[in-house]
Amino acid sequence: MMTGEQYIESLRNLKTEVHFMGERVANLVDHPAIRPHINAAAATYDLAFDPQHADLGSAISHLTGRRINRWTHIPQGQDDLVKKVKMLRAVGRITGTCFQRCVGMDALITLYSVTHDVDRKHGTGYHERFRRFLIETQDRDLLSGGAMTDPKGDRSKRPHEQHDPDLFVRVVERRPDGIVVRGAKMHQTGAVNSHQFIVLPGQALGPEEREYAIAFAVPADADGVIQVFGRQVNDSRKWEGTIDQGNPTYGVVGGEALVVFDNVFIPHERVFMLGETEFAGTIVERFTGYHRQNYGGCKSGNLDVLVGAAVALAEMQGTAKASHVRDKLAEMAHLVETMYSGALACSYECTKLACGTALVNLLLANTAKLNTARYYPEVTRLAQDIAGGFVATTPSERELDNPRVKAFVRKYYQTRPDVPAEDRIRLGRLIENMTGATPFIEGMHGAGSPQAQKVVVQRQIDWAERVQLASRIAGIPSAPRH
Ligand SMILES: Cc1cc2nc3c(=O)[nH]c(=O)nc-3n(C[C@H](O)[C@H](O)[C@H](O)COP(=O)(O)OP(=O)(O)OC[C@H]3O[C@@H](n4cnc5c(N)ncnc54)[C@H](O)[C@@H]3O)c2cc1C
């Protein structure tokens, strides 16, 4: 296993092509826009060595018997799934933001079982191939980006109906030693600081879409992999100072990129599905199940930080004892624990797949993510309510050193003689950055837009059974069909 520092150093050996603000990034490890996200990812490495959390941060590989980082582990039962959620909350509390590594973890978990299922149906050799890849990933403790979301073009059209066939990642050439792929994946969390990508289809596919039914792994710095790093609200503050960033060490959300595959060669050894269209839907269903489980873990950890900021500000501002503030804080805590409960529930209610991997309860996992999409904004709204308007209007941190105005800023932003104005400003900036557009949108669309979870909920519920329950109690002899 690597420490956080070793992980950061390992990135220096890559030749990853990243573009930001109109130019190629020469040194991404030390780039002010990127480094906070790297620090957040490094926390997933350090957790394995943290005596308080080592049991959460690491696990024993079921393939080798060796101790590995849990972010590369395949859950073997309920205990592993519960620890996954607790690990996510623990790191969420350390970083106060997204630490990126769960997308690749869920891609590994998903492919482990789906390759097994494909082989059973088609007699292919994907699973053995994938196990070799997994052992290498575990032993080298690699960070994998999980690449699922295609650009998708016109949402009313299927992949093969788009005006440009590259709007979904596809095979453009089959060679004796491998395949050549083209396309792109959008919104890739932690992509610029990943060692490799695991690329999966982003939706169910029909028989005419064989060239899109591909799963593969590729080094992040392979020829033809080009990344364009996205902007965030307030990101220029990263090269202006520290206080105004709110969370200068770990940043805001995961740092997302557009990842382009411009005719990239993938050797057969790294291809884990090629044309088995009927399994694309299985990949999406399992991946999103595991990924939606996470949201009740990591986001509850992040929101623990936000709740703490709201409590501290209320204390500083003399409102902590007001009954409405106490009520709002209790409401925030209640919503956070509700999100967490769903993640735990889907883990406890797991089942076993044919290959031995534990699968979360899909109904509960999707409910957990829906709760997150709904409650995250509500918790942030309450934090903003308690904090007050200064969160939106505070002058730049540079005014704290501006000789003409610094005394005025410090004087008028101070609420109590025993608390420096700067402390209040720091908490306000933390709340501002944690409740801004980027984290807000991540809680909504990350792991799929809310409607995607509703679809699974609709599919998983036995409606007829519920009608029967009501009909029996109401004394209606023949229940209407649903
Ligand atoms: C911060 C962040 C991090 C992310 N990280 C990753 C990552 O690491 N890896 C990854 O693969 N993805 C990642 N994603 C992508 C995420 O999974 C997608 O944003 C999500 O699935 C929604 O897809 P979309 O953004 O293309 O929006 P759309 O799919 O366009 O959805 C927008 C709206 O249109 C609706 N809609 C979509 N299609 C249809 C249709 N056919 N008919 C009717 N309505 C429709 C949706 O319900 C929604 O209301 C990330 C997203 C964010 C915001």
Side-chain angles (χ1 to χ4, degrees), residues 103 146 148-149 152 155 187-189 256 442 445 448-449 451:
V103 206
M148 180 167 258
T149 309
K152 295 187 292 203
R155 272 61 174 157
H187 326 293
Q188 296 305 295
T189 297
E256 278 69 34
E442 196 224 346
H445 288 293
S449 315
Q451 183 56 23

Side-chain angles (χ1 to χ4, degrees), residues 189-406:
T189 297
V192 300
N193 47 286
S194 292
H195 299 109
Q196 59 187 7
F197 296 117
I198 301 171
V199 181
L200 308 174
Q203 65 178 57
L205 298 168
E208 66 284 21
E209 292 164 330
R210 290 188 70 238
E211 303 310 286
Y212 296 97
I214 45 171
F216 58 89
V218 59
D221 60 352
D223 280 350
V225 178
I226 302 157
Q227 301 198 43
V228 192
F229 193 60
R231 293 214 70 174
Q232 297 182 331
V233 171
N234 295 344
D235 60 6
S236 59
R237 293 182 188 184
K238 289 178 183 164
W239 49 91
E240 289 169 3
T242 56
I243 296 176
D244 289 353
Q245 293 182 49
N247 186 350
T249 305
Y250 301 111
V252 175
V253 191
E256 278 69 34
L258 166 70
V259 180
V260 176
F261 300 100
D262 186 26
N263 299 316
V264 178
F265 174 71
I266 313 292
H268 283 311
E269 198 49 29
R270 290 290 186 257
V271 177
F272 308 120
M273 187 168 97
L274 184 59
E276 294 81 4
T277 48
E278 72 275 29
F279 285 95
T282 314
I283 286 183
V284 174
E285 185 180 75
R286 285 189 198 158
F287 172 84
T288 55
Y290 290 115
H291 208 43
R292 290 169 190 170
Q293 168 203 27
N294 298 349
Y295 270 66
C298 62
K299 296 294 174 267
S300 58
N302 291 168
L303 290 177
D304 287 336
V305 175
L306 189 66
V307 169
V311 172
L313 260 186
E315 289 289 349
M316 283 180 188
Q317 296 178 166
T319 58
K321 292 196 172 57
S323 61
H324 79 97
V325 171
R326 289 158 67 118
D327 183 66
K328 281 168 185 149
L329 290 170
E331 178 71 9
M332 290 168 77
H334 151 72
L335 294 171
V336 173
E337 298 309 326
T338 304
M339 288 160 48
Y340 183 55
S341 309
L344 286 180
C346 72
S347 311
Y348 281 113
E349 293 285 304
C350 62
T351 48
K352 277 253 183 185
L353 294 164
C355 61
T357 305
L359 176 67
V360 289
N361 177 295
L362 295 179
L363 174 60
L364 294 173
N366 279 272
T367 305
K369 168 65 211 315
L370 258 185
N371 281 344
T372 304
R374 199 169 286 171
Y375 298 159
Y376 193 97
E378 183 60 7
V379 177
T380 63
R381 184 185 72 79
L382 290 166
Q384 290 171 345
D385 182 348
I386 291 169
F390 88 106
V391 167
T393 63
T394 298
S396 157
E397 65 184 271
R398 293 188 186 171
E399 310 307 352
L400 297 171
D401 297 319
N402 176 341
R404 175 78 175 129
V405 299
K406 67 179 180 185

Side-chain angles (χ1 to χ4, degrees), residues 4-296:
E5 202 46 51
Q6 286 168 335
Y7 156 68
I8 292 171
E9 288 310 304
S10 74
L11 296 175
R12 295 189 192 280
N13 300 325
L14 302 180
K15 304 180 300 294
T16 312
E17 181 176 348
V18 178
H19 297 259
F20 182 59
M21 303 287 289
E23 55 189 44
R24 182 164 179 178
V25 176
N27 170 1
L28 65 89
V29 173
D30 300 310
H31 194 290
I34 295 171
R35 183 53 184 258
H37 307 296
I38 295 178
N39 293 339
T44 69
Y45 285 88
D46 283 334
L47 197 80
F49 296 93
D50 176 347
Q52 213 193 327
H53 296 297
D55 190 35
L56 296 182
S58 68
I60 300 297
S61 168
H62 74 291
L63 295 178
T64 64
R66 292 193 275 276
R67 185 159 285 281
I68 53 168
N69 191 299
R70 190 174 288 281
W71 260 274
T72 65
H73 182 53
I74 307 299
Q76 298 300 299
Q78 192 186 65
D79 183 56
D80 276 337
L81 288 174
V82 170
K83 282 185 175 149
K84 181 177 182 240
V85 173
K86 292 188 174 183
M87 165 181 80
L88 288 156
R89 189 165 186 175
V91 185
R93 296 172 80 137
I94 292 167
T95 61
T97 191
C98 170
F99 34 89
Q100 312 140 34
R101 208 171 172 189
C102 67
V103 206
M105 168 176 64
D106 294 331
L108 290 173
I109 298 171
T110 302
L111 273 183
Y112 187 84
S113 69
V114 177
T115 51
H116 185 267
D117 294 354
V118 176
D119 286 358
R120 287 218 309 189
K121 179 162 182 207
H122 292 286
T124 39
Y126 297 127
H127 189 62
E128 197 42 51
R129 208 183 259 181
F130 184 75
R131 285 163 71 103
R132 284 196 292 274
F133 166 72
L134 179 62
I135 290 172
E136 189 185 327
T137 297
Q138 291 180 338
D139 286 347
R140 293 178 60 204
D141 203 357
L142 299 178
L143 194 148
S144 310
M148 180 167 258
T149 309
D150 297 278
K152 295 187 292 203
D154 181 339
R155 272 61 174 157
S156 69
K157 293 192 163 72
R158 301 213 41 90
H160 70 287
E161 297 169 343
Q162 298 290 336
H163 73 277
D164 181 339
D166 297 342
L167 289 170
F168 288 76
V169 171
R170 65 185 182 123
V171 180
V172 290
E173 192 186 338
R174 291 172 189 244
R175 294 187 191 162
D177 50 347
I179 56 173
V180 177
V181 299
R182 192 190 301 151
K185 294 287 185 181
M186 312 280 289
H187 326 293
Q188 296 305 295
T189 297
V192 300
N193 47 286
S194 292
H195 299 109
Q196 59 187 7
F197 296 117
I198 301 171
V199 181
L200 308 174
Q203 65 178 57
L205 298 168
E208 66 284 21
E209 292 164 330
R210 290 188 70 238
E211 303 310 286
Y212 296 97
I214 45 171
F216 58 89
V218 59
D221 60 352
D223 280 350
V225 178
I226 302 157
Q227 301 198 43
V228 192
F229 193 60
R231 293 214 70 174
Q232 297 182 331
V233 171
N234 295 344
D235 60 6
S236 59
R237 293 182 188 184
K238 289 178 183 164
W239 49 91
E240 289 169 3
T242 56
I243 296 176
D244 289 353
Q245 293 182 49
N247 186 350
T249 305
Y250 301 111
V252 175
V253 191
E256 278 69 34
L258 166 70
V259 180
V260 176
F261 300 100
D262 186 26
N263 299 316
V264 178
F265 174 71
I266 313 292
H268 283 311
E269 198 49 29
R270 290 290 186 257
V271 177
F272 308 120
M273 187 168 97
L274 184 59
E276 294 81 4
T277 48
E278 72 275 29
F279 285 95
T282 314
I283 286 183
V284 174
E285 185 180 75
R286 285 189 198 158
F287 172 84
T288 55
Y290 290 115
H291 208 43
R292 290 169 190 170
Q293 168 203 27
N294 298 349
Y295 270 66

Side-chain angles (χ1 to χ4, degrees), residues 379-454:
V379 177
T380 63
R381 184 185 72 79
L382 290 166
Q384 290 171 345
D385 182 348
I386 291 169
F390 88 106
V391 167
T393 63
T394 298
S396 157
E397 65 184 271
R398 293 188 186 171
E399 310 307 352
L400 297 171
D401 297 319
N402 176 341
R404 175 78 175 129
V405 299
K406 67 179 180 185
F408 294 125
V409 174
R410 289 180 188 275
K411 174 182 165 79
Y412 291 114
Y413 276 85
Q414 190 165 27
T415 48
R416 286 168 34 165
D418 57 336
V419 179
E422 187 179 313
D423 289 3
R424 181 174 173 236
I425 290 171
R426 282 177 181 271
L427 283 170
R429 287 297 186 209
L430 177 59
I431 291 178
E432 181 200 17
N433 282 276
M434 287 188 77
T435 62
T438 314
F440 211 82
I441 294 166
E442 196 224 346
M444 169 90 68
H445 288 293
S449 315
Q451 183 56 23
Q453 288 106 69
K454 283 266 175 72

